[in-house]
Amino acid sequence: MDDDPEHEEADTGGGGDDPIPIGVKLGSTRTVITVPEDDGFRTVKTLTCLATYEDVITGEEKVLYGEEAATEYPDRVQYTLRSGLPEDESRAELTSTFFEEVIDANDVPENSAVVYAIPTIDNERGLANLESVIEGSSIGEALIRSYPESLCGSVPAMGDGLEAVDDIFVTVNLGSTNLEASAYRRGEQLIPFTTGAVTGNEVDRMIANYVEEETQGRVNIDTTTAREYKEAHADFVDFEPFTDVIQQPGGGSHEFTIERSVMDAVDEYVDDAVEEIANAFLPELANDYIKVYQLALDRPIVLTGGMACIPGIVEEFEERLSEELQRDVEAVAPDEPAESAAVGAQRIAERLVAADAY
């Protein structure tokens, strides 16, 4: 990063009048905010959901967000960005309420330069609604900018600074609501590709269906439980069968063991993701930018998004894509794929502050 001592306080989030550089990803499943603090960073991570309830004494409407809302009010919790964007004004209003609750509860500074990691989705209305949420928030008094989530997410995977902005590479975002892919040429996004046919949310639905099949109809789980199974147990390296217990209608409990359902679902997901990248995205890139295609495939493909957190999925993707393309392909992922977009956005904000671009 910029070593100019004049901007040292901005680089560390220190005092003075310099705005604090902050990175934000408002995700369909989780929201992540990265704030510099002392010699490191503070990361706020929460489920993108809220629930309201009435104070029994005052009658005042109260708001809970994140894990607390999902746990205490599963019957009426609302995930405000289920499709990746607020689809209408009411959903944008809910998202604004959620975001302000997160900001207030976690002391995110108003005197800040905020970079948002934005999904690559062809939805003008949804993007406009998201823009209204961003511009209406209490943070970002000094500066508000947005960059593609796939670029922000790739930044931590490619070095300790902003090496990704000066490189040519392909990135694949294995997200909850979409599979996204893009090529980047020194920060310029080329051939942005999005499909809702291969998603982490669909994996959750598949797990729920497969659990019912594996238990011969004795167990039915919802998609929230399926997501928890996926996040806790999916592992291409060392998967082990696991047990759980459900309460039976009318009393009693039933213990069951899951041996195949989780891994069958994520295994199919990798095959489908490779199919989309190899036969839809990459041919279009080669057709329009053959030199970029050649250069990019000589470099590692960067995997980001929540599904990239599954142990061993990077190696599985690499092996299967290499087989599909009949050439060696390398894949990499940041250390924390689910947080990488906010981390990369924060580094971009840091650079903007250092350059006095506010």
Side-chain angles (χ1 to χ4, degrees):
M1 299 303 297
D2 194 320
D3 293 325
D4 185 348
E6 180 183 348
H7 301 295
E8 186 172 341
E9 285 186 342
D11 289 344
T12 61
D17 296 326
D18 289 327
I20 308 302
I22 294 172
V24 176
K25 179 203 169 187
L26 282 162
S28 56
T29 300
R30 284 187 173 83
T31 287
V32 183
I33 305 174
T34 303
V35 183
E37 191 171 76
D38 299 325
D39 294 328
F41 297 92
R42 174 166 59 98
T43 299
V44 176
K45 183 164 68 171
T46 181
L47 292 176
T48 308
C49 64
L50 82 167
T52 60
Y53 66 98
E54 185 178 288
D55 187 298
V56 295
I57 296 176
T58 66
E60 178 186 0
E61 184 179 74
K62 296 290 189 70
V63 176
L64 287 178
Y65 74 87
E67 285 75 4
E68 195 173 27
T71 301
E72 296 185 18
Y73 292 92
D75 52 325
R76 59 181 188 234
V77 68
Q78 298 188 69
Y79 285 80
T80 66
L81 295 173
R82 266 306 191 198
S83 68
L85 295 170
E87 294 295 335
D88 51 38
E89 289 184 9
S90 64
R91 191 61 55 171
E93 197 171 309
L94 277 174
T95 305
S96 293
T97 300
F98 158 79
F99 194 34
E100 281 302 317
E101 289 289 327
V102 176
I103 289 169
D104 291 344
N106 293 280
D107 297 322
V108 182
E110 295 181 3
N111 178 30
S112 49
V114 183
V115 169
Y116 290 83
I118 301 298
T120 301
I121 301 177
D122 186 15
N123 180 340
E124 290 186 11
R125 184 180 182 186
L127 289 168
N129 288 333
L130 183 60
E131 184 178 353
S132 71
V133 172
I134 290 169
E135 292 183 348
S137 79
S138 58
I139 62 174
E141 286 183 347
L143 175 143
I144 296 174
R145 295 276 178 86
S146 299
Y147 289 86
E149 179 182 336
S150 55
L151 176 62
C152 295
S154 299
V155 166
M158 300 185 70
D160 295 328
L162 291 177
E163 290 88 347
V165 178
D166 297 318
D167 207 342
I168 294 174
F169 65 97
V170 162
T171 180
V172 179
N173 183 34
L174 308 175
S176 296
T177 54
N178 288 289
L179 173 74
E180 300 177 16
S182 292
Y184 284 95
R185 179 174 58 189
R186 301 192 179 278
E188 176 191 9
Q189 188 178 33
L190 306 174
I191 315 295
F193 170 84
T194 305
T195 177
V198 185
T199 70
N201 288 343
E202 181 59 28
V203 172
D204 300 341
R205 287 187 284 271
M206 291 166 61
I207 290 173
N209 290 336
Y210 290 168
V211 166
E212 184 177 2
E213 292 177 11
E214 185 174 346
T215 61
Q216 299 177 330
R218 293 191 299 273
V219 175
N220 291 278
I221 62 171
D222 57 25
T223 54
T224 297
T225 302
R227 175 180 56 79
E228 292 170 353
Y229 284 178
K230 177 184 70 181
E231 293 178 353
H233 300 287
D235 190 330
F236 282 99
V237 181
D238 293 311
F239 173 78
E240 293 183 0
F242 61 96
T243 60
D244 202 354
V245 178
I246 59 169
Q247 298 301 311
Q248 300 277 35
S253 61
H254 173 63
E255 183 176 281
F256 59 96
T257 299
I258 297 302
E259 295 184 352
R260 304 184 310 273
S261 301
V262 170
M263 291 310 299
D264 282 353
V266 296
D267 189 66
E268 290 179 32
Y269 170 85
V270 176
D271 279 343
D272 291 343
V274 167
E275 172 75 17
E276 291 287 345
I277 298 305
N279 298 310
F281 167 67
L282 288 176
E284 188 175 354
L285 176 62
N287 186 61
D288 291 357
Y289 298 95
I290 184 62
K291 288 297 183 183
V292 171
Y293 170 85
Q294 293 168 341
L295 289 169
L297 287 192
D298 285 336
R299 293 165 167 78
I301 293 176
V302 181
L303 303 183
T304 64
M307 290 295 291
C309 296
I310 296 173
I313 197 170
V314 174
E315 292 76 15
E316 288 291 326
F317 184 92
E318 176 182 282
E319 181 180 336
R320 298 184 201 188
L321 184 59
S322 295
E323 184 177 338
E324 187 72 21
L325 298 178
Q326 297 185 337
R327 61 169 291 170
D328 288 338
V329 173
E330 182 183 355
V332 298
D335 291 338
E336 300 289 342
E339 301 174 11
S340 64
V343 172
Q346 194 281 329
R347 290 189 194 174
I348 294 172
E350 192 173 75
R351 175 67 62 84
L352 292 169
V353 170
D356 292 331
Y358 57 91

